[in-house]
Structures are given as structure tokens and as C-alpha cells.
């Protein structure tokens, strides 16, 4: 049997977490669902740049490389090997939202166009989803909300958990004939419970992008050496300058002979001591490989498999890919389902609250004065506050406000 007083106390914190998070949760669910359609939205808009007409003999990859250079602000760091004959060759510079890709038509020896994420409509959706279009400040708001969502889910599971009398039926019970408040309460609770595990996994995939938690997680990877190997991105790997550099076409031929899965790219040397790299991008993460070669002799200097990546980074990359629905149609459909259900659960909770709330009052659940949180509960809050610092900071603020409120009440003042 559940502890009744503890249940009331957790219900109060579930309410507070919901009140803080609700409007943002709905926004994040809607924008996340829209962003899942990124590839379908962008594909037809970019087809005229990425697709070319096959006519005559294609120019060499070295010639295409030279053609791409003056069309980028910075020298390209990578080239994606075309899979089809009618596919333009992509050369990229910059990282993340500053990334720009130039596409070369190898038959007409000209640039067919440029693509940069920051000029896409979906980039705005992503910025709204990740930082509310408020830059670093917005990122911290989203991180704080995501932290409180963990609390929402944990407290919600305990509060909802049926007692022995209800048994297994309690996990599916929706009362359609008890009025709208009870109906929407049950819709919120039942659907929220069944989607909770998926929500925790989705949140775990989003947290590495945050500023504070993400920065701490990155630090932990470095301290425990559970991130990428130092030479994963060719850091510290150098060529020995000797004679003429081998051609990009030779590297493409070598890459094709490896039969790597997914999209295969050639990392381009940025200076005389730089190296060529061959690597693949695939969401069959275990199939990812990286090879670095001396640009003059062609000697393989370093090779890495996915097993060389530390456990924290592997977990991080898996959850981030899951968060974006990148493991195939099943994953994409599942994330769309989670986004839609999260928005529905949040709105059902709002309707239930508005129908319960008395005019002029917040409707905060009452907790018996005699109840004191045990050491175990306090320990859990402290741990959550350390793992999610913005949650910890907000709990301190709320606790201080509650303390001042009770102090004023004890002096006969009202607030």
C-alpha cells in the first residue's frame, strides 16, 4: 500500500512541476514532432541542387575539390562520395548550424548550389525546440524544463500507481461517466503512465545538447576517458611531408573498396601535414569506422571501430539518434507517436486542472503539516539536483519562497 501522506506530498510536487513545465512541454512536443519531418520537407526543395543530369564524362574528384574551394568561406574539411551517377558531389566546411555544403556538378564543371542549415525553415523549428529562439538563455530554460520533466514523470508514476484493490485494471481505468474533470484527469494519468518510459528515453537523448548538464556530461567523459578516442577525428595525427600528395581520386577508389555501410566521406587535409580520412555515417552505430592516412605515402596511420568509442559516448550517441528517430521507420513513427501523445497528455492535464481549480486560487494540493520528507526522499532530491543543476537551483528557490510564505503566515500576514 502507498503511504498516503507521501502520496499527497509527491502529488504537490507533481503539480508544481507541471505548472512550471506545461506550456513549454506542449511547445517542445509540437516542435519536436514537426522537426521529425525535416528530411521530407527539405528533400524536394534541395533536389535541384543535389541531383544533376548525367551527360558526358565526369571531371575528377581533385578537379571538383579545386572548384569547390573558392565557393566556401573556409577550405572544405570533407567530401561525401556520391552513390549514384546523377548525384552532385558535396564538399563541406564549418560545423553544426554554421556548416555550409557546396554541391559540384561533375559533368558541367560548375557548382550547382549551396546548402546551409541556418537558412532552412526547419532550422527555425529546431532553434525554437532547443532554445525558444532566445539563444543561450533559451537553452537554459529548455534544460530547466527538461529537468523538471524527469520529476514530473517520477512523481506521476508514484501518484498514479493503483492500489491493491484496483489491481491490474487500475493501469487502464478511464472513467467516462464521472464528469469532464475526472475524464481528463484519467486520460492524463493513464496515457502519461504508459508513455513514461519512452519519455524518459527521449529526454535522455535531448539532455546532451543542453548547456549545463551537457557540459558536465562532456567533462565526465573526458575525466573517465569514455568519450571518443583522441585520434577519432585525426587530432594529433600528421603526415610526413615527402614528395607529391596522392590524389583524392585514389582515396575515393580506396574508400569504395572498403564497402562501408551508410554515407561514406573523405576527410580532406587542411595543411601540408594534414591527413586523409575515410569514415562512414550510419545509424547502425556499430558499423561506424574511421581510418586516417598519410596524404603523401597513403600509409594507414590510425584505424578505429565503434568498439573503440567509450561507453558514455556510445550511450549518448544512441539516445541522441533515438531522440531524432534515426533508427529507421519504426523509430521515426515511435517518436512522432511520443510527440503527439505528450502534447495530448499535457493538454488533458491542463483541462483537468482548470476544471478543478477554484477562482482566484492556484489550487496547489494540500500536504498534512505533520508530514516530513524522509532522508531517502531528501537524498533522491539532492542527487537529482546534482545531476540536473538547473533543477537543483530551482528547488532551492521554490523552497525559499515556501519558507518565506510560511513565515509570513505565522506572523499573521497574508500574501
Amino acid at each position: 500500500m502507498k503511504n498516503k501522506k507521501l502520496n499527497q506530498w509527491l502529488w504537490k510536487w507533481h503539480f508544481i512541476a507541471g505548472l512550471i513545465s506545461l506550456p513549454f512541454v506542449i511547445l517542445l512536443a509540437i516542435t519536436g514532432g514537426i522537426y521529425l519531418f525535416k528530411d521530407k520537407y527539405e528533400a524536394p526543395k534541395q533536389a535541384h541542387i543535389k541531383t544533376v543530369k548525367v551527360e558526358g564524362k565526369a571531371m575528377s574528384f581533385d578537379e571538383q575539390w579545386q572548384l569547390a574551394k573558392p565557393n566556401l568561406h573556409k577550405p572544405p574539411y570533407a567530401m561525401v562520395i556520391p552513390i549514384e551517377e546523377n548525384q552532385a558531389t558535396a564538399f563541406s566546411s564549418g560545423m553544426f548550424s554554421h556548416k555550409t555544403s557546396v554541391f559540384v556538378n561533375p559533368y558541367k564543371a560548375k557548382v550547382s548550389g549551396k546548402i546551409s542549415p541556418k537558412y532552412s525553415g526547419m532550422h527555425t523549428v529546431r532553434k525554437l525546440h532547443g532554445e525558444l529562439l532566445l539563444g543561450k538563455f533559451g537553452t537554459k530554460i529548455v534544460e530547466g524544463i527538461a529537468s523538471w520533466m524527469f520529476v514530473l514523470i517520477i512523481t506521476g508514476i508514484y501518484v498514479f500507481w493503483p492500489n491493491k484493490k484496483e489491481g491490474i485494471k487500475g493501469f487502464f481505468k478511464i472513467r467516462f461517466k464521472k464528469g469532464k474533470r475526472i475524464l481528463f484527469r484519467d486520460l492524463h494519468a493513464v496515457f502519461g503512465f504508459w508513455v513514461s518510459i519512452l519519455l524518459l528515453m527521449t529526454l535522455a537523448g535531448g539532455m546532451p545538447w543542453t548547456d549545463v548538464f551537457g557540459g558536465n556530461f562532456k567533462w565526465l567523459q573526458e575525466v573517465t576517458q569514455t568519450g571518443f578516442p583522441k585520434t577519432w577525428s585525426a587530432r594529433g595525427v600528421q603526415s610526413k611531408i615527402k614528395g607529391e600528395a596522392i590524389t583524392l581520386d585514389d582515396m575515393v577508389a580506396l574508400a569504395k573498396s572498403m564497402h562501408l555501410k551508410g554515407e561514406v566521406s573523405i576527410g580532406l587535409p587542411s595543411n601540408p601535414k594534414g591527413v586523409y580520412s575515410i569514415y562512414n555515417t550510419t545509424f547502425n552505430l556499430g558499423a561506424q569506422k574511421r581510418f586516417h592516412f598519410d596524404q603523401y605515402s597513403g600509409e594507414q596511420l590510425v584505424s578505429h571501430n565503434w568498439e573503440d568509442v567509450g561507453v558514455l559516448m556510445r550511450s549518448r550517441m544512441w539516445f541522441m539518434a533515438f531522440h531524432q528517430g534515426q533508427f529507421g521507420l519504426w523509430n521515426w513513427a515511435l517518436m512522432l507517436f511520443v510527440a503527439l501523445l505528450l502534447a495530448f497528455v499535457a493538454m488533458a492535464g491542463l483541462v483537468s486542472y482548470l476544471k478543478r481549480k477554484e477562482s482566484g486560487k492556484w489550487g496547489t494540493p494540500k500536504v498534512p503539516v505533520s508530514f516530513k520528507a524522509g532522508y531517502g526522499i531528501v537524498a533522491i532530491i539532492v542527487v537529482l539536483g546534482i545531476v540536473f543543476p538547473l533543477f537543483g537551483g530551482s528547488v532551492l528557490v521554490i523552497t525559499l519562497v515556501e519558507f518565506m510564505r510560511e513565515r509570513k503566515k505565522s506572523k499573521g500576514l497574508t500574501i
Side-chain angles (χ1 to χ4, degrees):
M1 294 292 289
K2 290 192 291 185
N3 182 310
K4 187 177 179 182
K5 291 181 180 179
L6 175 61
N7 193 76
Q8 289 175 298
W9 187 79
L10 289 175
W11 161 224
K12 175 184 176 180
W13 280 99
H14 183 78
F15 172 85
I16 292 171
L19 211 59
I20 292 170
S21 308
L22 189 64
F24 298 100
V25 168
I26 295 172
L27 177 64
L28 293 176
I30 293 172
T31 53
I34 293 172
Y35 195 73
L36 288 169
F37 292 89
K38 175 181 178 290
D39 292 341
K40 292 178 176 62
Y41 171 80
E42 292 180 344
K45 294 178 177 294
Q46 299 174 352
H48 68 287
I49 294 175
K50 294 184 175 182
T51 307
V52 298
K53 184 179 180 181
V54 180
E55 46 187 353
K57 185 181 178 181
M59 65 193 301
S60 71
F61 287 106
D62 279 282
E63 291 173 321
Q64 294 180 58
W65 184 7
Q66 296 307 315
L67 184 60
K69 283 181 180 179
N71 288 279
L72 290 164
H73 292 298
K74 294 181 179 180
Y77 66 84
M79 182 202 82
V80 178
I81 299 176
I83 300 173
E84 306 292 341
E85 288 187 346
N86 68 339
Q87 185 178 339
T89 309
F91 291 85
S92 301
S93 70
M95 299 293 287
F96 307 116
S97 61
H98 299 291
K99 178 180 177 180
T100 299
S101 295
V102 163
F103 291 80
V104 176
N105 184 330
Y107 304 102
K108 290 191 173 181
K110 71 175 187 178
V111 171
S112 60
K114 293 182 183 181
I115 294 176
S116 180
K118 64 182 177 182
Y119 298 117
S120 164
M122 280 295 177
H123 179 69
T124 302
V125 173
R126 179 167 183 162
K127 286 291 184 182
L128 184 59
H129 182 75
E131 58 186 49
L132 309 176
L133 302 181
L134 297 173
K136 289 289 185 181
F137 177 69
T139 303
K140 288 180 175 61
I141 293 176
V142 172
E143 179 178 351
I145 297 305
S147 301
W148 273 99
M149 284 182 70
F150 281 97
V151 178
L152 261 177
I153 294 167
I154 295 168
T155 55
I157 289 173
Y158 186 92
V159 171
F160 166 74
W161 200 270
N163 58 39
K164 286 185 179 179
K165 265 189 179 181
E166 293 176 306
I168 196 75
K169 292 181 181 178
F171 290 103
F172 305 93
K173 187 177 179 181
I174 298 176
R175 294 165 287 183
F176 290 94
K177 298 179 181 179
K178 295 285 186 179
K180 289 183 179 179
R181 183 181 73 81
I182 297 297
L183 171 61
F184 281 101
R185 177 266 174 201
D186 287 351
L187 290 172
H188 170 80
V190 172
F191 285 110
F193 171 79
W194 285 109
V195 79
S196 59
I197 300 300
L198 288 174
L199 277 177
L200 287 172
M201 293 173 68
T202 304
L203 285 169
M207 291 305 289
W209 277 298
T210 59
D211 283 352
V212 182
F213 175 89
N216 291 343
F217 193 81
K218 186 178 179 180
W219 172 83
L220 182 62
Q221 286 176 177
E222 292 174 354
V223 169
T224 57
Q225 296 185 349
T226 50
F228 284 122
K230 288 183 178 179
T231 53
W232 179 263
S233 57
R235 187 170 55 175
V237 183
Q238 293 184 339
S239 296
K240 294 179 181 178
I241 303 174
K242 188 177 180 181
E244 293 292 321
I246 60 177
T247 67
L248 178 55
D249 291 80
D250 289 335
M251 294 306 301
V252 171
L254 176 59
K256 287 182 177 180
S257 71
M258 292 178 173
H259 303 291
L260 300 173
K261 293 182 178 179
E263 182 182 87
V264 181
S265 300
I266 306 289
L268 305 170
S270 58
N271 56 62
K273 287 190 176 182
V275 297
Y276 277 116
S277 301
I278 295 175
Y279 58 93
N280 62 329
T281 304
T282 171
F283 291 102
N284 174 5
L285 298 177
Q288 288 195 13
K289 299 178 185 293
R290 291 213 168 204
F291 306 88
H292 305 306
F293 300 87
D294 187 295
Q295 67 168 299
Y296 302 98
S297 66
E299 176 190 357
Q300 181 177 302
L301 303 174
V302 179
S303 68
H304 286 298
N305 294 318
W306 187 243
E307 289 74 20
D308 297 327
V309 179
V311 63
L312 287 184
M313 179 58 79
R314 276 187 281 170
S315 301
R316 171 183 176 176
M317 296 301 289
W318 191 94
F319 279 105
M320 287 172 75
F322 179 80
H323 181 95
Q324 297 179 93
Q326 293 174 326
F327 288 129
L329 181 59
W330 70 268
N331 187 196
W332 181 90
L334 188 62
M335 287 300 98
L336 181 60
F337 169 75
V338 169
L340 292 172
L341 195 55
L342 177 58
F344 173 77
V345 166
M347 288 187 280
L350 176 61
V351 172
S352 177
Y353 164 66
L354 292 175
K355 289 190 172 295
R356 178 180 69 83
K357 176 181 172 296
E358 295 179 22
S359 179
K361 295 183 179 180
W362 282 107
T364 306
K366 302 295 181 184
V367 178
V369 178
S370 60
F371 177 79
K372 300 294 180 184
Y375 292 118
I377 298 295
V378 173
I380 291 172
I381 294 173
V382 170
V383 170
L384 286 172
I386 293 171
V387 175
F388 306 114
L390 295 187
F391 163 74
S394 58
V395 167
L396 289 175
V397 171
I398 292 170
T399 303
L400 180 61
V401 170
E402 284 279 299
F403 173 77
M404 296 300 293
R405 185 168 173 266
E406 292 300 321
R407 189 175 178 183
K408 285 184 178 181
K409 273 187 178 181
S410 66
K411 291 181 178 180
L413 301 174
T414 57
I415 61 169

